[in-house]
Every structure is written in C-alpha cells, then in structure tokens.
Amino acid sequence: MSGCIGRSALVLCLLVLVAPVLVQSNQATNVVLMAVGRSGTTLAEHLLSVALPNLFLVDEPFRGVEQHVVSLVKSGNAERANATITKVYHDIFSCNFLTPDSWTRSVISDVHNCQMSSWTRKQKDVIQRCATKTATQTDLDTGMKLCQSAETIILKTIRFRGEFARLPKFSSQLKIVHLLRHPFKVARSRFVAGWHFHLKSSPDDLQLVQSSAPFNVWPAELQRLASVFLYVLNFVCRQMLETHHVLQSVTHHDVLEIKYESLLAEPSEVLSQLTTFINNGKPLPASSISRVVDRMSDKLMQLPTSTSFKKLVDCVSPFEWLALAGTHCRRMGTLGYKANPESKTFR
C-alpha cells in the first residue's frame, strides 16, 4: 500500500467585477475556449488548428498575470484586477498585443504561451525570442499580419473563465466554447500530470476519510493522500458547476458546451458541431472533418494512468470517490454526469 502515492496541483480561478464595454477593430470570429484545467482544451485546440487553417490561436494568456491579479484582489483592488484582465482580452482580440511596446505581450510571454500561440509560427528561434522577451520587429510584424488576416481568433484559457461570460457584448462575432470532462478524470489527470497542490486538504475531508469505508482501514499516509484527492475532486466539481451556471445566464454571447468524452468517442461528429458553431452555422465538408480526425488519431487516444497514482485509484472505484465527495459533486447530474451505483460508475 505504500506505493499508493500521488502528486497534486491547483490553479485558482477568480471571478471579479464586470468589465467595461470593449471596442474591436478586426472582423474575425472571436472564440474563447474555456474549461477547468486538464479537461482536454489542448486536444481541442490541436484539432481546431488543423480543421481551421486561417486560425490565430493565443494559448493561456493569463498564466503570466494570474499572480498579479490575485494579489490585487487580495489587497482590495478588484477594479484594477478586472482592468488587467480586460486589457489582455481586448489587446488579443484586436491584435494590439503584437505592437513593439505591448504590455500585454510582455506579461503573457512565457515558454508555454510562446510554444503554443500562432504568432511564433512554431519556429524555435521565434519561440526563444518570444519567451525571453526579445522578439524582433520582423517577428512582431509577421505575427501581426497573421492575426489581422485570420478569419478566427481563439483565446484558450483555464483561468478567469467567469469574466468572459460576464463581459458586455462588444462584438457580434464573440463565441464561448466550454469544454466539460468527468470531474473524477479531471482530478485524476491533475495528479498524473504532477500539478502541485502542496498536499492541501481540509480537516473535514480528512475526518470524513478516516471514518468512511474502505478508507478507514488505510494507513495514515494513504488517508492523508485520499483527503487531498477528495479536496481536489470537490474543487473541480465546484469550478465546473460555477462556470456552467454563469454561462447559463449569458444572453449576449453565443455559448456551446461540449464533453471531452464525446470528443474522444465521436470525434467527427463533435468536431463538425464545434466548427459549425465557430463558422456561424456553416459546416465543414465531411471529407475535411474525416481528414482532420485521421491526422489527429494519435492524439485522440487517452493517455495511460501513471503507475503510482493508479495504485491509489484502484483501491476505490470512481463511484465510491464521488459518493464520498461533497454536494457539488453530487450535483454533477446537472452537467450530464450521473451516478450508476449498480456498475459503480459515474458517467
């Protein structure tokens, strides 16, 4: 049993004040691809990058400003925090973040963002200059042309999801795609990926684990890890429900919710639905969808669970984990993930 050890990580998502009206300069269809972390957004953006050739993608721009925004909120400056988020949002969709003196580009340019975003064109030397904040004028001019000529601009984020839903409508072409995934699999994926939760849990979670079968007969170290996983699971369920409920109230943006499980099981159908939504009701030819799915077939296979965490997972079924979890997880039927006690599953 000592091998049942996992690592964890947690990314905070803050909901702050409503942003002012924005003004957009280009005519592209603007898309916010949002989800809680480890829900499959990277797979979705890979598929869309192949399916929509004239697409400009900006990946995780808020990674670089998250701590700044968090500190502003904690110090009582929620309005300034909101203005920071709004500026990044506006600069990207107007392509202004590629101007030579762009504050937004300077704060969002980390290695991950530079590797994934379209303006670096997957070129190692440009990625390096982007990450070290030494991009040349040619780099920026080329990136600006790509952004301004794009038919679709996608901003992918797992941070500050509620702000986009709450922003006033500043463009008739703004769309929101919310990607959902089974909360147990999200929590498990965070452990497998090594996200650092600093082994955080609550005394209530630990007490619940210590008093509930089969956890009550586990060694103390495994009970502690189980309480950490339970904390993460509850956090994921709460995040998913909060984002879903915010989007349910949105009337001024087009919203589409899709499931990661459906994308894996029926990639052609879901990709067709997704691209039709982005293309304002114009479907891609079935032959084009098939070519994308065939090309990306290796990425549509689920990654295996790591050995160390699999030992912990195998000790208890997903249904038992979710049955032990709090009220947010018990309400996941709202999102179509319903408990099936007979088969010990939650799907």
Side-chain angles (χ1 to χ4, degrees), residues 3-257:
C4 294
I5 296 176
R7 298 175 60 200
S8 56
L10 185 60
V11 176
L12 296 176
C13 173
L14 300 180
L15 301 179
V16 293
L17 300 177
V18 176
V21 176
L22 303 175
V23 179
Q24 182 175 350
S25 60
N26 70 328
Q27 299 301 312
T29 298
N30 295 327
V31 181
V32 177
L33 174 61
M34 64 170 65
V36 301
R38 309 302 299 180
S39 291
T41 51
T42 300
L43 171 62
E45 66 183 356
H46 279 309
L47 288 168
L48 289 172
S49 294
V50 176
L52 304 173
N54 197 6
L55 175 149
F56 190 88
L57 172 72
V58 180
D59 187 277
E60 291 298 339
F62 297 113
R63 182 195 301 264
V65 298
E66 181 177 25
Q67 293 305 315
H68 174 63
V69 170
V70 170
S71 64
L72 286 174
V73 172
K74 288 183 176 179
S75 63
N77 293 312
E79 188 170 348
R80 285 180 58 196
N82 191 63
T84 299
I85 296 171
T86 300
K87 179 171 178 54
V88 174
Y89 177 79
H90 175 267
D91 282 357
I92 289 172
F93 282 134
S94 62
C95 300
N96 287 336
F97 80 105
L98 288 169
T99 56
D101 58 347
S102 170
W103 173 85
T104 295
R105 179 175 54 81
S106 69
V107 297
I108 72 174
S109 296
D110 64 10
V111 174
H112 181 84
N113 175 270
C114 295
Q115 287 175 338
M116 299 296 293
S117 297
S118 296
W119 78 273
T120 58
R121 309 181 303 287
K122 308 294 184 184
Q123 296 181 4
K124 291 183 178 180
D125 55 339
V126 182
I127 291 172
Q128 176 66 21
R129 290 194 291 271
C130 168
T132 56
K133 299 178 173 54
T134 57
T136 66
Q137 186 63 53
T138 300
D139 294 336
L140 300 177
D141 289 344
T142 304
M144 179 76 81
K145 290 177 182 177
L146 289 172
C147 185
Q148 291 178 333
S149 63
E151 294 179 3
T152 306
I153 298 176
I154 293 183
L155 187 160
K156 171 210 160 177
T157 184
I158 62 172
R159 297 163 173 85
F160 309 119
R161 297 178 305 279
E163 280 68 32
F164 297 109
R166 291 187 168 101
L167 281 172
K169 187 171 186 175
F170 79 100
S171 166
S172 60
Q173 299 297 320
L174 181 63
K175 298 176 183 292
I176 299 174
V177 176
H178 183 206
L179 187 61
L180 300 167
R181 188 183 184 187
H182 191 299
F184 177 82
K185 292 181 179 178
V186 172
R188 181 178 63 184
S189 179
R190 291 183 175 194
F191 267 76
V192 172
W195 285 23
H196 300 286
F197 290 88
H198 306 293
L199 299 182
K200 184 176 182 179
S201 65
S202 72
D204 290 341
D205 290 332
L206 181 58
Q207 184 177 5
L208 183 60
V209 164
Q210 290 172 337
S211 61
S212 303
F215 309 96
N216 56 347
V217 296
W218 287 12
E221 176 61 18
L222 286 185
Q223 288 181 339
R224 185 176 66 87
L225 287 174
S227 70
V228 172
F229 184 72
L230 191 60
Y231 175 89
V232 174
L233 183 57
N234 280 317
F235 183 86
V236 167
C237 291
R238 184 171 70 251
Q239 281 192 317
M240 290 177 64
L241 284 170
E242 286 176 350
T243 305
H244 171 75
H245 289 320
V246 169
L247 293 176
Q248 288 290 98
S249 65
V250 169
T251 58
H252 53 284
H253 298 314
D254 295 330
V255 177
L256 174 67
E257 289 190 324

Side-chain angles (χ1 to χ4, degrees), residues 279-315:
N279 287 332
N280 299 305
K282 300 176 183 177
L284 291 179
S287 57
S288 298
I289 295 292
S290 296
R291 281 196 296 271
V292 173
V293 171
D294 290 343
R295 179 175 169 182
M296 302 294 291
S297 59
D298 59 324
K299 294 185 180 297
L300 290 166
M301 298 176 63
Q302 294 199 55
L303 297 175
T305 303
S306 70
T307 302
S308 60
F309 186 72
K310 191 174 187 298
K311 291 180 180 178
L312 178 60
V313 172
D314 287 346
C315 295

